[in-house]
mmCIF file with all atom_site columns, all heavy atoms in Angstrom:
data_model
loop_
_atom_site.group_PDB
_atom_site.id
_atom_site.type_symbol
_atom_site.label_atom_id
_atom_site.label_alt_id
_atom_site.label_comp_id
_atom_site.label_asym_id
_atom_site.label_entity_id
_atom_site.label_seq_id
_atom_site.pdbx_PDB_ins_code
_atom_site.Cartn_x
_atom_site.Cartn_y
_atom_site.Cartn_z
_atom_site.occupancy
_atom_site.B_iso_or_equiv
_atom_site.pdbx_formal_charge
_atom_site.auth_seq_id
_atom_site.auth_comp_id
_atom_site.auth_asym_id
_atom_site.auth_atom_id
_atom_site.pdbx_PDB_model_num
ATOM 1   N N   . ILE D 1 174 ? -18.015 12.135 -7.222  1.00 98.00 ? 174 ILE D N   1
ATOM 2   C CA  . ILE D 1 174 ? -17.461 11.663 -5.944  1.00 98.00 ? 174 ILE D CA  1
ATOM 3   C C   . ILE D 1 174 ? -15.942 11.572 -6.023  1.00 98.00 ? 174 ILE D C   1
ATOM 4   O O   . ILE D 1 174 ? -15.223 12.014 -5.115  1.00 98.00 ? 174 ILE D O   1
ATOM 5   C CB  . ILE D 1 174 ? -18.069 10.302 -5.569  1.00 98.00 ? 174 ILE D CB  1
ATOM 6   C CG1 . ILE D 1 174 ? -19.568 10.449 -5.283  1.00 98.00 ? 174 ILE D CG1 1
ATOM 7   C CG2 . ILE D 1 174 ? -17.358 9.697  -4.357  1.00 98.00 ? 174 ILE D CG2 1
ATOM 8   C CD1 . ILE D 1 174 ? -20.318 9.131  -5.197  1.00 98.00 ? 174 ILE D CD1 1
ATOM 9   N N   . GLY D 1 175 ? -15.436 11.016 -7.127  1.00 98.00 ? 175 GLY D N   1
ATOM 10  C CA  . GLY D 1 175 ? -13.991 10.912 -7.280  1.00 98.00 ? 175 GLY D CA  1
ATOM 11  C C   . GLY D 1 175 ? -13.317 12.268 -7.330  1.00 98.00 ? 175 GLY D C   1
ATOM 12  O O   . GLY D 1 175 ? -12.251 12.475 -6.730  1.00 98.00 ? 175 GLY D O   1
ATOM 13  N N   . THR D 1 176 ? -13.923 13.216 -8.036  1.00 98.00 ? 176 THR D N   1
ATOM 14  C CA  . THR D 1 176 ? -13.350 14.561 -8.125  1.00 98.00 ? 176 THR D CA  1
ATOM 15  C C   . THR D 1 176 ? -13.420 15.270 -6.774  1.00 98.00 ? 176 THR D C   1
ATOM 16  O O   . THR D 1 176 ? -12.491 15.994 -6.385  1.00 98.00 ? 176 THR D O   1
ATOM 17  C CB  . THR D 1 176 ? -14.084 15.373 -9.202  1.00 98.00 ? 176 THR D CB  1
ATOM 18  O OG1 . THR D 1 176 ? -14.049 14.658 -10.447 1.00 98.00 ? 176 THR D OG1 1
ATOM 19  C CG2 . THR D 1 176 ? -13.441 16.730 -9.406  1.00 98.00 ? 176 THR D CG2 1
ATOM 20  N N   . ALA D 1 177 ? -14.510 15.053 -6.040  1.00 98.00 ? 177 ALA D N   1
ATOM 21  C CA  . ALA D 1 177 ? -14.618 15.631 -4.696  1.00 98.00 ? 177 ALA D CA  1
ATOM 22  C C   . ALA D 1 177 ? -13.556 15.055 -3.764  1.00 98.00 ? 177 ALA D C   1
ATOM 23  O O   . ALA D 1 177 ? -12.945 15.788 -2.964  1.00 98.00 ? 177 ALA D O   1
ATOM 24  C CB  . ALA D 1 177 ? -16.014 15.372 -4.138  1.00 98.00 ? 177 ALA D CB  1
ATOM 25  N N   . LEU D 1 178 ? -13.341 13.752 -3.866  1.00 98.00 ? 178 LEU D N   1
ATOM 26  C CA  . LEU D 1 178 ? -12.294 13.109 -3.064  1.00 98.00 ? 178 LEU D CA  1
ATOM 27  C C   . LEU D 1 178 ? -10.941 13.750 -3.342  1.00 98.00 ? 178 LEU D C   1
ATOM 28  O O   . LEU D 1 178 ? -10.188 14.101 -2.416  1.00 98.00 ? 178 LEU D O   1
ATOM 29  C CB  . LEU D 1 178 ? -12.280 11.614 -3.398  1.00 98.00 ? 178 LEU D CB  1
ATOM 30  C CG  . LEU D 1 178 ? -11.364 10.674 -2.615  1.00 98.00 ? 178 LEU D CG  1
ATOM 31  C CD1 . LEU D 1 178 ? -11.889 9.240  -2.728  1.00 98.00 ? 178 LEU D CD1 1
ATOM 32  C CD2 . LEU D 1 178 ? -9.934  10.701 -3.118  1.00 98.00 ? 178 LEU D CD2 1
ATOM 33  N N   . GLU D 1 179 ? -10.622 13.934 -4.630  1.00 97.00 ? 179 GLU D N   1
ATOM 34  C CA  . GLU D 1 179 ? -9.330  14.530 -4.994  1.00 97.00 ? 179 GLU D CA  1
ATOM 35  C C   . GLU D 1 179 ? -9.256  16.000 -4.584  1.00 97.00 ? 179 GLU D C   1
ATOM 36  O O   . GLU D 1 179 ? -8.171  16.515 -4.274  1.00 97.00 ? 179 GLU D O   1
ATOM 37  C CB  . GLU D 1 179 ? -9.104  14.385 -6.496  1.00 97.00 ? 179 GLU D CB  1
ATOM 38  C CG  . GLU D 1 179 ? -9.073  12.943 -7.005  1.00 97.00 ? 179 GLU D CG  1
ATOM 39  C CD  . GLU D 1 179 ? -7.842  12.174 -6.559  1.00 97.00 ? 179 GLU D CD  1
ATOM 40  O OE1 . GLU D 1 179 ? -6.990  12.741 -5.838  1.00 97.00 ? 179 GLU D OE1 1
ATOM 41  O OE2 . GLU D 1 179 ? -7.725  10.993 -6.923  1.00 97.00 ? 179 GLU D OE2 1
ATOM 42  N N   . THR D 1 180 ? -10.396 16.686 -4.575  1.00 98.00 ? 180 THR D N   1
ATOM 43  C CA  . THR D 1 180 ? -10.415 18.088 -4.148  1.00 98.00 ? 180 THR D CA  1
ATOM 44  C C   . THR D 1 180 ? -9.996  18.213 -2.692  1.00 98.00 ? 180 THR D C   1
ATOM 45  O O   . THR D 1 180 ? -9.214  19.105 -2.315  1.00 98.00 ? 180 THR D O   1
ATOM 46  C CB  . THR D 1 180 ? -11.819 18.683 -4.347  1.00 98.00 ? 180 THR D CB  1
ATOM 47  O OG1 . THR D 1 180 ? -12.147 18.660 -5.732  1.00 98.00 ? 180 THR D OG1 1
ATOM 48  C CG2 . THR D 1 180 ? -11.907 20.112 -3.843  1.00 98.00 ? 180 THR D CG2 1
ATOM 49  N N   . ILE D 1 181 ? -10.508 17.316 -1.844  1.00 98.00 ? 181 ILE D N   1
ATOM 50  C CA  . ILE D 1 181 ? -10.104 17.319 -0.435  1.00 98.00 ? 181 ILE D CA  1
ATOM 51  C C   . ILE D 1 181 ? -8.648  16.880 -0.309  1.00 98.00 ? 181 ILE D C   1
ATOM 52  O O   . ILE D 1 181 ? -7.862  17.478 0.440   1.00 98.00 ? 181 ILE D O   1
ATOM 53  C CB  . ILE D 1 181 ? -11.011 16.394 0.393   1.00 98.00 ? 181 ILE D CB  1
ATOM 54  C CG1 . ILE D 1 181 ? -12.475 16.846 0.310   1.00 98.00 ? 181 ILE D CG1 1
ATOM 55  C CG2 . ILE D 1 181 ? -10.544 16.352 1.849   1.00 98.00 ? 181 ILE D CG2 1
ATOM 56  C CD1 . ILE D 1 181 ? -13.457 15.871 0.942   1.00 98.00 ? 181 ILE D CD1 1
ATOM 57  N N   . ARG D 1 182 ? -8.290  15.857 -1.048  1.00 97.00 ? 182 ARG D N   1
ATOM 58  C CA  . ARG D 1 182 ? -6.938  15.290 -0.918  1.00 97.00 ? 182 ARG D CA  1
ATOM 59  C C   . ARG D 1 182 ? -5.851  16.309 -1.269  1.00 97.00 ? 182 ARG D C   1
ATOM 60  O O   . ARG D 1 182 ? -4.785  16.320 -0.660  1.00 97.00 ? 182 ARG D O   1
ATOM 61  C CB  . ARG D 1 182 ? -6.841  14.045 -1.799  1.00 97.00 ? 182 ARG D CB  1
ATOM 62  C CG  . ARG D 1 182 ? -5.520  13.301 -1.694  1.00 97.00 ? 182 ARG D CG  1
ATOM 63  C CD  . ARG D 1 182 ? -5.698  11.847 -2.076  1.00 97.00 ? 182 ARG D CD  1
ATOM 64  N NE  . ARG D 1 182 ? -6.270  11.074 -0.975  1.00 97.00 ? 182 ARG D NE  1
ATOM 65  C CZ  . ARG D 1 182 ? -6.877  9.888  -1.109  1.00 97.00 ? 182 ARG D CZ  1
ATOM 66  N NH1 . ARG D 1 182 ? -7.022  9.348  -2.309  1.00 97.00 ? 182 ARG D NH1 1
ATOM 67  N NH2 . ARG D 1 182 ? -7.347  9.260  -0.050  1.00 97.00 ? 182 ARG D NH2 1
ATOM 68  N N   . ARG D 1 183 ? -6.113  17.185 -2.229  1.00 96.00 ? 183 ARG D N   1
ATOM 69  C CA  . ARG D 1 183 ? -5.094  18.181 -2.587  1.00 96.00 ? 183 ARG D CA  1
ATOM 70  C C   . ARG D 1 183 ? -5.173  19.437 -1.720  1.00 96.00 ? 183 ARG D C   1
ATOM 71  O O   . ARG D 1 183 ? -4.427  20.392 -1.940  1.00 96.00 ? 183 ARG D O   1
ATOM 72  C CB  . ARG D 1 183 ? -5.205  18.549 -4.066  1.00 96.00 ? 183 ARG D CB  1
ATOM 73  C CG  . ARG D 1 183 ? -6.461  19.254 -4.484  1.00 96.00 ? 183 ARG D CG  1
ATOM 74  C CD  . ARG D 1 183 ? -6.424  19.643 -5.966  1.00 96.00 ? 183 ARG D CD  1
ATOM 75  N NE  . ARG D 1 183 ? -7.665  20.271 -6.381  1.00 96.00 ? 183 ARG D NE  1
ATOM 76  C CZ  . ARG D 1 183 ? -8.579  19.695 -7.154  1.00 96.00 ? 183 ARG D CZ  1
ATOM 77  N NH1 . ARG D 1 183 ? -8.393  18.449 -7.580  1.00 96.00 ? 183 ARG D NH1 1
ATOM 78  N NH2 . ARG D 1 183 ? -9.679  20.336 -7.490  1.00 96.00 ? 183 ARG D NH2 1
ATOM 79  N N   . GLY D 1 184 ? -6.113  19.458 -0.751  1.00 96.00 ? 184 GLY D N   1
ATOM 80  C CA  . GLY D 1 184 ? -6.165  20.541 0.207   1.00 96.00 ? 184 GLY D CA  1
ATOM 81  C C   . GLY D 1 184 ? -7.046  21.705 -0.161  1.00 96.00 ? 184 GLY D C   1
ATOM 82  O O   . GLY D 1 184 ? -6.997  22.745 0.497   1.00 96.00 ? 184 GLY D O   1
ATOM 83  N N   . ASP D 1 185 ? -7.894  21.553 -1.191  1.00 97.00 ? 185 ASP D N   1
ATOM 84  C CA  . ASP D 1 185 ? -8.759  22.653 -1.600  1.00 97.00 ? 185 ASP D CA  1
ATOM 85  C C   . ASP D 1 185 ? -10.068 22.710 -0.826  1.00 97.00 ? 185 ASP D C   1
ATOM 86  O O   . ASP D 1 185 ? -10.848 23.656 -1.002  1.00 97.00 ? 185 ASP D O   1
ATOM 87  C CB  . ASP D 1 185 ? -9.073  22.544 -3.098  1.00 97.00 ? 185 ASP D CB  1
ATOM 88  C CG  . ASP D 1 185 ? -7.880  22.910 -3.960  1.00 97.00 ? 185 ASP D CG  1
ATOM 89  O OD1 . ASP D 1 185 ? -6.916  23.496 -3.423  1.00 97.00 ? 185 ASP D OD1 1
ATOM 90  O OD2 . ASP D 1 185 ? -7.896  22.606 -5.168  1.00 97.00 ? 185 ASP D OD2 1
ATOM 91  N N   . ALA D 1 186 ? -10.340 21.721 -0.001  1.00 98.00 ? 186 ALA D N   1
ATOM 92  C CA  . ALA D 1 186 ? -11.539 21.718 0.845   1.00 98.00 ? 186 ALA D CA  1
ATOM 93  C C   . ALA D 1 186 ? -11.297 20.783 2.013   1.00 98.00 ? 186 ALA D C   1
ATOM 94  O O   . ALA D 1 186 ? -10.470 19.868 1.933   1.00 98.00 ? 186 ALA D O   1
ATOM 95  C CB  . ALA D 1 186 ? -12.762 21.275 0.047   1.00 98.00 ? 186 ALA D CB  1
ATOM 96  N N   . LYS D 1 187 ? -12.038 21.024 3.088   1.00 98.00 ? 187 LYS D N   1
ATOM 97  C CA  . LYS D 1 187 ? -11.995 20.111 4.229   1.00 98.00 ? 187 LYS D CA  1
ATOM 98  C C   . LYS D 1 187 ? -13.100 19.070 4.154   1.00 98.00 ? 187 LYS D C   1
ATOM 99  O O   . LYS D 1 187 ? -12.973 17.982 4.723   1.00 98.00 ? 187 LYS D O   1
ATOM 100 C CB  . LYS D 1 187 ? -12.114 20.902 5.529   1.00 98.00 ? 187 LYS D CB  1
ATOM 101 C CG  . LYS D 1 187 ? -10.890 21.740 5.858   1.00 98.00 ? 187 LYS D CG  1
ATOM 102 C CD  . LYS D 1 187 ? -11.047 22.458 7.192   1.00 98.00 ? 187 LYS D CD  1
ATOM 103 C CE  . LYS D 1 187 ? -9.780  23.227 7.544   1.00 98.00 ? 187 LYS D CE  1
ATOM 104 N NZ  . LYS D 1 187 ? -9.950  23.972 8.841   1.00 98.00 ? 187 LYS D NZ  1
ATOM 105 N N   . ALA D 1 188 ? -14.179 19.434 3.468   1.00 98.00 ? 188 ALA D N   1
ATOM 106 C CA  . ALA D 1 188 ? -15.301 18.501 3.313   1.00 98.00 ? 188 ALA D CA  1
ATOM 107 C C   . ALA D 1 188 ? -16.013 18.835 2.014   1.00 98.00 ? 188 ALA D C   1
ATOM 108 O O   . ALA D 1 188 ? -15.994 19.981 1.543   1.00 98.00 ? 188 ALA D O   1
ATOM 109 C CB  . ALA D 1 188 ? -16.266 18.607 4.489   1.00 98.00 ? 188 ALA D CB  1
ATOM 110 N N   . MET D 1 189 ? -16.660 17.821 1.436   1.00 98.00 ? 189 MET D N   1
ATOM 111 C CA  . MET D 1 189 ? -17.406 18.009 0.191   1.00 98.00 ? 189 MET D CA  1
ATOM 112 C C   . MET D 1 189 ? -18.747 17.286 0.275   1.00 98.00 ? 189 MET D C   1
ATOM 113 O O   . MET D 1 189 ? -18.829 16.147 0.740   1.00 98.00 ? 189 MET D O   1
ATOM 114 C CB  . MET D 1 189 ? -16.623 17.470 -1.007  1.00 98.00 ? 189 MET D CB  1
ATOM 115 C CG  . MET D 1 189 ? -15.357 18.232 -1.333  1.00 98.00 ? 189 MET D CG  1
ATOM 116 S SD  . MET D 1 189 ? -15.644 19.927 -1.919  1.00 98.00 ? 189 MET D SD  1
ATOM 117 C CE  . MET D 1 189 ? -16.439 19.612 -3.494  1.00 98.00 ? 189 MET D CE  1
ATOM 118 N N   . ILE D 1 190 ? -19.774 17.984 -0.172  1.00 98.00 ? 190 ILE D N   1
ATOM 119 C CA  . ILE D 1 190 ? -21.098 17.384 -0.376  1.00 98.00 ? 190 ILE D CA  1
ATOM 120 C C   . ILE D 1 190 ? -21.111 16.907 -1.825  1.00 98.00 ? 190 ILE D C   1
ATOM 121 O O   . ILE D 1 190 ? -20.985 17.712 -2.747  1.00 98.00 ? 190 ILE D O   1
ATOM 122 C CB  . ILE D 1 190 ? -22.203 18.427 -0.151  1.00 98.00 ? 190 ILE D CB  1
ATOM 123 C CG1 . ILE D 1 190 ? -22.102 19.030 1.251   1.00 98.00 ? 190 ILE D CG1 1
ATOM 124 C CG2 . ILE D 1 190 ? -23.575 17.814 -0.379  1.00 98.00 ? 190 ILE D CG2 1
ATOM 125 C CD1 . ILE D 1 190 ? -22.916 20.313 1.423   1.00 98.00 ? 190 ILE D CD1 1
ATOM 126 N N   . THR D 1 191 ? -21.239 15.609 -2.041  1.00 98.00 ? 191 THR D N   1
ATOM 127 C CA  . THR D 1 191 ? -21.034 15.106 -3.393  1.00 98.00 ? 191 THR D CA  1
ATOM 128 C C   . THR D 1 191 ? -21.961 13.942 -3.699  1.00 98.00 ? 191 THR D C   1
ATOM 129 O O   . THR D 1 191 ? -22.463 13.284 -2.799  1.00 98.00 ? 191 THR D O   1
ATOM 130 C CB  . THR D 1 191 ? -19.564 14.694 -3.590  1.00 98.00 ? 191 THR D CB  1
ATOM 131 O OG1 . THR D 1 191 ? -19.355 14.314 -4.954  1.00 98.00 ? 191 THR D OG1 1
ATOM 132 C CG2 . THR D 1 191 ? -19.186 13.537 -2.672  1.00 98.00 ? 191 THR D CG2 1
ATOM 133 N N   . GLY D 1 192 ? -22.192 13.722 -4.981  1.00 98.00 ? 192 GLY D N   1
ATOM 134 C CA  . GLY D 1 192 ? -23.064 12.618 -5.390  1.00 98.00 ? 192 GLY D CA  1
ATOM 135 C C   . GLY D 1 192 ? -23.569 12.817 -6.793  1.00 98.00 ? 192 GLY D C   1
ATOM 136 O O   . GLY D 1 192 ? -22.871 13.366 -7.652  1.00 98.00 ? 192 GLY D O   1
#
Side-chain angles (χ1 to χ4, degrees):
I174 294 168
T176 305
L178 185 158
E179 300 290 0
T180 298
I181 300 172
R182 184 155 280 161
R183 65 177 177 253
D185 287 346
K187 290 182 177 178
M189 293 293 293
I190 303 165
T191 185

